[in-house]
Amino acid sequence: MFYHIEGTVSQLGGGVAVIDCGGVGFELNVSLNTLSRLKPGEKAKLLVCESVKEDAFDLYGFAEPGEKRFFQLLISLSGVGPKAALSILSASTPEQLAVAIMAGDEKALTVAPGIGKKIAQRVIYELRDKISKEAGSLSVPLQRGASAAPSGTDKLSDAAAALAVLGYSTAEVNAALRGVDGAALDTEGIIKAALKNMMK
C-alpha cells in the first residue's frame, strides 16, 4: 500500500501528474488545486490513495493531508466516486469545503462539474454528522466575552470541527483558536485566522 510518492514531476495535464521515482513513472489522478502546486522538472511529494478494481489500479495524489482526508470521506459516501470527489476538491480548497459542509451551502458544491443538487445534499447531510462526531472531543477556547454571543460560540465550534477533519489535533486546534474573535468573523474567517496562527 502506498502512503506517499516523492520524486520529480515529469508530466502534468488532464487532471494527471506523473512523478518519476528512480526511473519509474507513477501516474496519479489529482485535483486542480494539487495540479496548480506542481511544476515539471521540480521535486514533489504527494500523499496517495489507491483504488483497486478488477480491471483497474488507480492512484490519487494530494498535496496536503486535508485534501486526502476529504477525498477519503467523499468516496465513502454512496453515489460519490473518485471522479466526483476530485471534481469537488478541484472547485474548493479543503478549508472552503469544510465551511460549505458545516454551513449547509449546497451552491458551493454544485459549482463543481458533474455535481448536482442531490449529491450536494447527500455530501452535506452525511459529512456534517461525521465532522461533528470527529470534533466532538474538542474543547473550543472562547475569547473573553464570547459566551455572551451564542452565534460566535457556534461559529468557533464549526471552525473547530472543520479544522479537526482537516487533520489537526485537539491541542493544535485549541491553540490556534485561542484569541480568535468568533463574534466578529464568519466561520471561514475564523478558520483562516486559526491557520494563520498555526504558521506563526
Side-chain angles (χ1 to χ4, degrees), residues 103-137:
D105 185 358
E106 293 176 17
K107 291 182 180 179
L109 296 176
T110 55
V111 296
I115 305 302
K117 188 173 182 180
K118 286 185 179 179
I119 291 180
Q121 289 174 337
R122 185 182 301 127
V123 168
I124 289 169
Y125 177 75
E126 295 190 30
L127 289 193
R128 185 156 48 186
D129 284 345
K130 284 189 177 184
I131 291 172
S132 297
K133 285 176 183 176
E134 288 192 12
S137 63

Side-chain angles (χ1 to χ4, degrees), residues 136-150:
S137 63
L138 289 171
S139 56
V140 182
L142 301 180
Q143 188 174 1
R144 193 175 298 171
S147 59

Side-chain angles (χ1 to χ4, degrees), residues 47 58 62 79 84 92 136 140 144:
L47 298 168
D58 295 317
F62 310 94
S92 302
V140 182
R144 193 175 298 171

Side-chain angles (χ1 to χ4, degrees), residues 37-157:
R37 299 186 183 195
L38 304 175
K39 292 183 180 179
E42 292 189 358
K43 292 281 187 182
K45 180 178 180 179
L46 297 181
L47 298 168
V48 175
C49 279
E50 304 169 20
S51 176
V52 181
K53 299 178 183 177
E54 288 184 9
D55 58 345
F57 177 73
D58 295 317
L59 297 176
Y60 297 86
F62 310 94
E64 57 181 296
E67 192 177 51
K68 178 181 177 179
R69 179 64 181 134
F70 263 115
F71 179 82
Q72 292 171 320
L73 287 170
L74 287 165
I75 63 173
S76 73
L77 306 180
S78 175
V80 181
K83 186 176 179 180
L86 282 184
S87 179
I88 292 171
L89 290 168
S90 290
S92 302
T93 65
E95 293 80 11
Q96 291 167 339
L97 182 55
V99 170
I101 290 169
M102 298 308 293
D105 185 358
E106 293 176 17
K107 291 182 180 179
L109 296 176
T110 55
V111 296
I115 305 302
K117 188 173 182 180
K118 286 185 179 179
I119 291 180
Q121 289 174 337
R122 185 182 301 127
V123 168
I124 289 169
Y125 177 75
E126 295 190 30
L127 289 193
R128 185 156 48 186
D129 284 345
K130 284 189 177 184
I131 291 172
S132 297
K133 285 176 183 176
E134 288 192 12
S137 63
L138 289 171
S139 56
V140 182
L142 301 180
Q143 188 174 1
R144 193 175 298 171
S147 59
S151 61
T153 304
D154 291 343
K155 287 184 288 184
L156 281 168
S157 296

